[in-house]
Amino acid sequence: MTTPPLSCLFSRYALLIQLENNYRFTPRKLLGVHVMKKRQLSRLGYKVAEVPYYEWLPLLQQSEKKRMNYIQSKLRDADKTAEMEKGYLTT
């Protein structure tokens, strides 16, 4: 029996904390350098999850459990996005 390669067993995640100055003022869109960072991390094989400041700030008033649930949901979203991109690139 052969063992699967480590790349099948583990995933690499990048959690990007997007601060207020990473965005244009109106409309609220990421600046080019930050879009490029996301793209490069994705091409390097990372599953990229983002935490925008405007979603995180209200959570600072919440419990640690709610904040952890939020981050876990972002990581699950990164999994789904990576799988969709993988499927898109192979077809």
Side-chain angles (χ1 to χ4, degrees), residues 83-91:
E83 290 302 316
M84 286 192 312
E85 288 175 355
K86 185 178 176 183
Y88 174 74
L89 294 175
T90 58
T91 56

Side-chain angles (χ1 to χ4, degrees), residues 12-71:
R12 296 186 304 177
Y13 290 90
L15 184 63
L16 299 179
I17 310 300
Q18 301 294 4
L19 304 175
E20 188 173 3
N21 59 352
N22 295 3
Y23 292 90
R24 289 178 42 193
F25 184 67
T26 309
R28 193 172 13 202
K29 292 178 71 174
L30 276 176
L31 296 173
V33 69
H34 302 289
V35 173
M36 184 174 62
K37 184 189 325 180
K38 274 178 51 176
R39 187 180 313 125
Q40 289 173 339
L41 286 167
S42 181
R43 287 185 179 174
L44 287 170
Y46 286 87
K47 295 179 180 183
V48 181
E50 289 184 272
V51 177
Y53 75 95
Y54 53 86
E55 291 179 3
W56 185 253
L57 286 178
L59 288 172
L60 292 176
Q61 306 300 320
Q62 303 295 322
S63 68
E64 183 178 348
K65 184 175 180 173
K66 286 187 180 184
R67 291 192 297 268
M68 290 303 294
N69 287 339
Y70 171 81
I71 291 176

